[in-house]
Amino acid sequence: MITATYTDLRANLKGYLDRVVKDSDNVIVNRGGGSAVVIMSMEEYESMMETAYIMSQPDLVEAIRQGEQDIKNGNYELVDIHEL
């Protein structure tokens, strides 16, 4: 995670955005007065939104946990997707 001031971000915007995209880095921009914003890639944002949606669905979370427990206990069957 990178931290930048608003002034530094303006002067070096391309470099910061390149690091966000190429290195999957986030940039925290301090705006003064205790306020800040975060710059992140669209891919990371979409992943966070998907996770938030999944975690907001109690039945789906329980199904995932049950699946994890089944795998841990050996209660699963391997399937070759090429045979479907």
Side-chain angles (χ1 to χ4, degrees):
M1 193 166 306
I2 308 165
T3 303
T5 64
Y6 178 74
T7 303
D8 188 43
L9 177 70
R10 280 189 318 185
N12 301 291
L13 183 59
K14 181 183 181 325
Y16 282 112
L17 296 182
D18 285 346
R19 287 182 67 179
V20 167
V21 173
K22 293 177 183 174
D23 301 334
S24 298
D25 227 336
N26 295 325
V27 178
I28 298 174
V29 183
N30 296 311
R31 301 187 64 219
S35 67
V37 296
V38 176
I39 301 172
M40 69 176 64
S41 69
M42 181 60 75
E43 183 178 277
E44 186 171 351
Y45 173 78
E46 288 172 346
S47 176
M48 286 177 50
M49 293 297 101
E50 182 177 6
T51 299
Y53 173 76
I54 290 169
M55 296 305 289
S56 74
Q57 307 296 314
D59 293 342
L60 185 52
V61 171
E62 180 55 33
I64 291 168
R65 288 191 176 133
Q66 183 60 53
E68 289 173 337
Q69 191 63 40
D70 287 345
I71 290 170
K72 184 177 179 181
N73 293 334
N75 299 328
Y76 61 89
E77 181 179 330
L78 295 178
V79 176
D80 184 346
I81 61 170
H82 297 91
E83 293 178 5
L84 298 177

